[in-house]
Amino acid sequence: MCCWTGMMFITMISVHGVASSVTISPSLQGNRLTGKIPEVIGLMQALAVLDLSENELVGPIPPILGNLSYTGKLYLHGNKLTGPIPPELGNMSKLSYLQLNGNQLVGGIPAELGKLEQLFELNLANNNLEGPIPHNISSCTALNQFNVYGNRLSGSIPRGFQSLESLTYLDLSSNNFLGPVPAAIGDLEHLLTLDMSFNNLSGHMPEELGQLQNIASLILNNNNLRGEIPDQLTNCLSLATLNVSYNNLSGIVPPIGNFSRFSPDSQVTNVGFFIFPPPWSGPPKLVILHMDMAIHTYEDIMRITENMSEKYIIGYGASSTVYKCILKNSRPIAIKRIYTQQPHNFREFETELETVGSIRHRNLVSLHGYALTPYGNLLFYDYMENGSLWDLLHGPAKKVKLDWETRLKIAIGAAQGLAYLHHDCNPRIIHRDVKSSNILLDENFEAHLSDFGIAKSIPTAKTHASTYVLGTIGYIDPEYARTSRLNEKSDVYSFGVVLLELLTGKKAVDNESNLHQLILAKADDNTVMEAVDPEVSVTCMDLTHVRKTFQLALLCTKRYPSERPTMHEVARVLISLLPAPPAKASAALPKTIDYARFVIDKGQTQLNAQQLHPQVDNSSSDAQWFVRFREVISKNTH
Ligand SMILES: *[C@@H]1O[C@H](CO)[C@@H](O)[C@H](O)[C@H]1NC(C)=O
Ligand SMILES: *[C@@H]1O[C@H](CO)[C@@H](O)[C@H](O)[C@H]1NC(C)=O
Ligand SMILES: *[C@@H]1O[C@H](CO)[C@@H](O)[C@H](O)[C@H]1NC(C)=O
Ligand SMILES: *[C@@H]1O[C@H](CO)[C@@H](O)[C@H](O)[C@H]1NC(C)=O
Ligand SMILES: *[C@@H]1O[C@H](CO)[C@@H](O)[C@H](O)[C@H]1NC(C)=O
Ligand SMILES: *[C@@H]1O[C@H](CO)[C@@H](O)[C@H](O)[C@H]1NC(C)=O
Ligand SMILES: *[C@@H]1O[C@H](CO)[C@@H](O)[C@H](O)[C@H]1NC(C)=O
Ligand SMILES: *[C@@H]1O[C@H](CO)[C@@H](O)[C@H](O)[C@H]1NC(C)=O
Ligand SMILES: *[C@@H]1O[C@H](CO)[C@@H](O)[C@H](O)[C@H]1NC(C)=O
Ligand SMILES: *[C@@H]1O[C@H](CO)[C@@H](O)[C@H](O)[C@H]1NC(C)=O
Ligand SMILES: *[C@@H]1O[C@H](CO)[C@@H](O)[C@H](O)[C@H]1NC(C)=O
């Protein structure tokens, strides 16, 4: 039983969590748990996430798990589970992620899974499942990723797939599927990857495949397809990989994409060929967006970085590696090398980069240029001496103590940068990934927001492939996650989480506990102030400012986007909390924060607040916000 000590932990948490909405997500992932999954887990109805993946669990999946009617994520992948998939799992009505891949499961895919209306990802790959894909799967209309790679499934590909309109990833490869590729697959307009390789599919490649506007990988090798490659595939401008090897196709390769290896009239030879263009098929291309890099050539960059040598690496992101190097004018720059999937469309990518390069604001990290190279896509940014806010708050060094005023100024800088993106840029830019590791600090500790404007062209890293929703766990607006509809209020939500991080010194997610939920629970008991970082309590002269910042953070993270303030409003509230500048000190602080500007803004804030009265003009959203802000403050202080 020693190996199940972790279970005691869950039991305890679930007892506390049963009646509340607090997210409980014990992760026992990768712990070498052995033995069977205990049935008792089925009693823990409040579990939001059950993650037992990558252990050595044996035996069947207990049908009683179907009673976990509040569980959104069930991860049992990477174990040695046997037996069938219990149809009871179809009762887990809140399930969004179901990953049973990499086990030894047998039997069919239960039709009951069709009841999972919120299912976003279904991964059953690498098991021993048999029989057809049930038609009921077409009722899982939220399904985004469907993977049954490496089973013994048979029958034809259900036509019902066409109703899975949200699918971006469909992998049916390495099974025994028969019959044609249904023309209706062409209706899946969001599809990025379609893999049906290593089956026994027959018939022609349907010309409707040409309707897949976004498709990046079309993989049909090792089947029995015959006839010609449809000309319509030339409409698939994002297609980067097309593999039709080992079929019985004939005819001419249509001029698809920018495939340098095949001229438009290449003859299809024999029974197979494939096309796989290199990441960037042209010669290396360096585009300078700002004058300060103007004297550099691509060769200079390669010389300076010794062909992107490891010794210049200063950090790793989810989808990139960051290098530091010194330009010829002895100015340091950060080079971000994106190593995930290629942008779907280079032209769109370049247009976006040019837009980003044209944006300059004191609280935004500038993009100086970019290069499309055999080493991947390189983006050249300002180098920020003092690293990220995440590092300062949670990093291993943690030698710097951040006093309250510094934290407030960092929050103000980030808020102003974000407000600029939301309200002053044309086109307006939604950041999509606001978090403390994207708030960088220059040598004066002024905040600069990084990584904005290119999220659309850069798919999330493979390791995060389970979410099509962009963002980082702990910061993602739940309304955006639920609806996939993005607006700038999603950034406001994430910014609210950053405020909580600044106030408490805690990570957005730690040990699977969620900071926002924690603070909400404390707000209910009126014990929020207990969560304040000691470094803040000892350096803040007026703790009502801390309380107000908590309230602002809670407004930012309100459930409904329309109830959240705009970033302009957030910035003004924060500025109003700054201490008045000492009369003669202003000359001594020219480089850090622009006090003069704060004083003006602060004056406006007070003016706005004073103007308020019940008949206030509804069109003035600022005014409304200050009313609500004051309400919240008074509610929580009395
Ligand atoms: C599982 O749920 C069903 C239906 O709600 C209920 O009858 C059954 O008692 C539950 N099982 C356990 C062990 O709680
Ligand atoms: C759970 O699923 C099983 C099998 O699909 C079914 O018989 C049972 O009625 C379901 N229970 C509930 C509470 O829906
Ligand atoms: C499968 O779907 C059909 C309707 O398409 C429905 O009648 C049937 O009950 C479903 N089966 C299960 C097990 O949910
Ligand atoms: C594949 O299908 C053909 C008929 O289309 C059949 O003759 C062949 O036996 C099938 N192969 C497998 C491995 O099922
Ligand atoms: C295409 O399929 C063939 C045959 O299975 C395989 O050898 C080749 O590596 C594949 N090409 C790519 C680019 O995946
Ligand atoms: C390939 O297609 C040709 C006709 O295009 C046909 O004669 C031949 O039998 C097919 N080969 C196989 C293995 O199906
Ligand atoms: C960088 O690559 C070029 C061309 O491949 C090569 O000539 C040069 O020696 C390399 N430089 C270093 C420092 O590896
Ligand atoms: C694709 O090729 C065409 C013609 O060779 C060229 O004009 C165009 O710029 C290329 N597009 C990209 C993204 O390389
Ligand atoms: C911040 O940057 C300045 C200038 O490079 C440096 O002197 C200082 O040590 C840095 N502070 C921290 C905490 O890293
Ligand atoms: C997380 O867990 C570690 C070790 O189990 C513990 O030391 C730490 O205090 C926990 N952090 C939080 C925020 O609960
Ligand atoms: C303001 O707008 C709300 C709804 O948007 C409306 O209910 C309310 O009556 C309006 N108040 C005034 C004073 O116009």
Side-chain angles (χ1 to χ4, degrees):
M1 277 312 287
C2 62
C3 38
W4 277 105
T5 48
M7 292 311 305
M8 299 312 294
F9 176 57
I10 304 186
T11 315
M12 280 160 54
I13 299 183
S14 70
V15 171
H16 288 297
V18 168
S20 81
S21 61
V22 174
T23 307
I24 298 165
S25 29
S27 173
L28 298 174
Q29 185 235 335
N31 277 312
R32 300 206 170 192
L33 296 177
T34 56
K36 294 184 176 185
I37 300 177
E39 303 239 333
V40 69
I41 293 185
L43 300 175
M44 300 176 186
Q45 290 235 328
L47 284 182
V49 179
L50 177 55
D51 185 354
L52 301 175
S53 61
E54 312 294 347
N55 284 297
E56 291 175 14
L57 299 172
V58 297
I61 299 175
I64 196 179
L65 292 191
N67 279 21
L68 295 175
S69 46
Y70 293 99
T71 302
K73 302 181 180 180
L74 178 58
Y75 299 128
L76 302 178
H77 52 278
N79 282 292
K80 296 172 178 166
L81 298 170
T82 51
I85 299 175
E88 284 79 1
L89 297 190
N91 295 344
M92 299 179 70
S93 54
K94 291 275 189 320
L95 208 56
S96 301
Y97 294 86
L98 178 56
Q99 299 193 1
L100 307 178
N101 45 300
N103 281 292
Q104 295 152 23
L105 301 171
V106 296
I109 299 177
E112 284 79 0
L113 296 187
K115 294 191 286 184
L116 299 174
E117 288 178 0
Q118 298 187 20
L119 197 60
F120 185 85
E121 175 172 356
L122 177 58
N123 193 340
L124 306 175
N126 285 318
N127 280 291
N128 299 322
L129 301 171
E130 295 173 332
I133 296 178
H135 290 277
N136 292 49
I137 292 294
S138 61
S139 310
C140 301
T141 48
L143 206 57
N144 192 289
Q145 308 205 16
F146 183 80
N147 187 353
V148 292
Y149 158 79
N151 280 286
R152 298 181 198 150
L153 297 167
S154 56
S156 56
I157 294 172
R159 271 160 230 288
F161 267 128
Q162 93 191 82
S163 48
L164 300 178
E165 287 172 4
S166 307
L167 273 186
T168 62
Y169 183 91
L170 178 56
D171 190 345
L172 306 177
S173 62
S174 300
N175 279 287
N176 299 325
F177 291 116
L178 292 168
V181 176
I185 292 279
D187 293 346
L188 301 176
E189 56 174 317
H190 299 295
L191 213 52
L192 302 175
T193 298
L194 174 61
D195 190 345
M196 297 183 166
S197 60
F198 293 95
N199 278 292
N200 199 4
L201 300 173
S202 52
H204 289 80
M205 284 173 71
E207 59 189 44
E208 287 79 0
L209 291 176
Q211 296 166 14
L212 297 171
Q213 297 276 321
N214 295 303
I215 191 90
S217 297
L218 179 55
I219 304 171
L220 299 171
N221 53 280
N222 297 77
N223 278 293
N224 245 326
L225 301 172
R226 60 190 168 80
E228 299 191 355
I229 299 176
D231 280 341
Q232 285 80 357
L233 284 189
T234 54
N235 298 333
C236 303
L237 298 177
S238 304
L239 195 58
T241 305
L242 170 65
N243 196 344
V244 292
S245 306
Y246 299 95
N247 279 288
N248 194 9
L249 297 164
S250 54
I252 283 176
V253 187
I256 302 165
N258 270 20
F259 294 125
S260 56
R261 291 197 196 165
F262 292 85
S263 58
D265 58 355
S266 305
Q267 198 71 27
V268 176
T269 50
N270 214 341
V271 292
F273 77 102
F274 68 88
I275 299 173
F276 189 54
W280 168 248
S281 46
K285 172 175 177 181
L286 175 67
V287 178
I288 303 293
L289 302 169
H290 282 183
M291 283 313 290
D292 48 8
M293 275 189 67
I295 53 172
H296 293 83
T297 63
Y298 171 74
E299 287 72 27
D300 290 333
I301 300 294
M302 286 304 132
R303 200 175 312 119
I304 290 170
T305 60
E306 299 179 47
N307 297 339
M308 307 306 293
S309 158
E310 281 182 12
K311 65 184 182 206
Y312 298 101
I313 294 179
I314 54 170
Y316 298 92
S319 56
S320 61
T321 306
V322 184
Y323 298 72
K324 177 188 177 184
C325 73
I326 311 285
L327 291 180
K328 286 190 201 168
N329 56 7
S330 42
R331 187 192 162 118
I333 55 163
I335 304 182
K336 188 163 205 170
R337 174 178 176 185
I338 300 166
Y339 59 74
T340 49
Q341 301 149 41
Q342 289 302 306
H344 300 142
N345 180 331
F346 279 104
R347 208 171 311 136
E348 190 185 337
F349 183 59
E350 294 198 62
T351 308
E352 263 179 2
L353 291 177
E354 273 150 31
T355 307
V356 171
S358 70
I359 296 171
R360 298 202 104 170
H361 182 273
R362 64 182 291 163
N363 298 115
L364 297 174
V365 177
S366 298
L367 178 70
H368 295 263
Y370 63 90
L372 306 175
T373 81
Y375 297 97
N377 299 325
L378 311 179
L379 309 183
F380 305 108
Y381 286 106
D382 285 330
Y383 175 73
M384 292 286 140
E385 293 288 343
N386 278 309
S388 77
L389 177 58
W390 194 96
D391 292 336
L392 286 176
L393 288 175
H394 319 299
K398 235 181 153 179
K399 47 189 184 299
V400 235
K401 297 204 162 172
L402 282 183
D403 61 34
W404 167 244
E405 196 175 327
T406 307
R407 291 182 200 219
L408 184 57
K409 286 175 183 169
I410 289 171
I412 289 169
Q416 288 181 324
L418 201 50
Y420 184 82
L421 292 178
H422 287 181
H423 305 294
D424 304 316
C425 279
N426 185 15
R428 291 169 167 220
I429 289 180
I430 300 176
H431 189 295
R432 295 176 182 225
D433 200 10
V434 174
K435 54 180 172 180
S436 56
S437 52
N438 275 338
I439 297 173
L440 306 184
L441 302 162
D442 65 17
E443 66 277 17
N444 300 317
F445 269 89
E446 180 153 17
H448 301 252
L449 206 52
S450 75
D451 259 7
F452 54 89
I454 50 171
K456 203 168 62 152
S457 297
I458 301 174
T460 41
K462 202 71 190 162
T463 51
H464 295 179
S466 50
T467 43
Y468 187 55
V469 169
L470 293 169
T472 302
I473 308 249
Y475 299 90
I476 298 175
D477 169 10
E479 274 300 288
Y480 165 48
R482 197 175 67 81
T483 62
S484 298
R485 275 193 291 273
L486 185 74
N487 70 40
E488 73 277 359
K489 294 294 181 69
S490 301
D491 284 349
V492 175
Y493 181 95
S494 310
F495 184 82
V497 177
V498 172
L499 282 181
L500 293 177
E501 232 177 310
L502 278 166
L503 286 162
T504 62
K506 291 192 194 332
K507 295 179 190 169
V509 177
D510 204 358
N511 296 349
E512 299 274 343
S513 99
N514 173 309
L515 180 56
H516 179 236
Q517 305 271 9
L518 179 84
I519 298 299
L520 277 185
K522 287 192 175 287
D524 280 349
D525 312 351
N526 216 2
T527 55
V528 170
M529 296 303 279
E530 288 172 6
V532 177
D533 189 338
E535 201 50 42
V536 168
S537 344
V538 300
T539 55
C540 180
M541 296 305 149
D542 182 352
L543 284 177
T544 61
H545 288 184
V546 169
R547 189 175 280 278
K548 287 180 184 181
T549 310
F550 264 123
Q551 284 148 354
L552 181 63
L554 292 178
L555 275 182
C556 290
T557 50
K558 281 258 189 185
R559 159 120 191 246
Y560 296 107
S562 61
E563 296 183 343
R564 301 174 197 154
T566 66
M567 282 316 297
H568 267 322
E569 290 157 353
V570 171
R572 289 204 199 137
V573 171
L574 289 170
I575 289 164
S576 75
L577 301 178
L578 271 180
K584 55 184 179 161
S586 49
L589 292 162
K591 285 196 80 178
T592 52
I593 306 285
D594 185 346
Y595 274 93
R597 197 179 48 181
F598 288 159
V599 174
I600 293 166
D601 280 352
K602 193 178 171 193
Q604 282 171 351
T605 302
Q606 284 163 350
L607 203 63
N608 267 332
Q610 282 158 7
Q611 280 167 349
L612 298 174
H613 52 88
Q615 276 84 42
V616 71
D617 176 9
N618 246 0
S619 63
S620 158
S621 67
D622 271 24
Q624 279 188 343
W625 271 106
F626 282 104
V627 172
R628 279 195 244 174
F629 183 59
R630 287 206 308 193
E631 274 172 10
V632 179
I633 291 171
S634 54
K635 222 184 274 169
N636 281 276
T637 43
H638 293 166

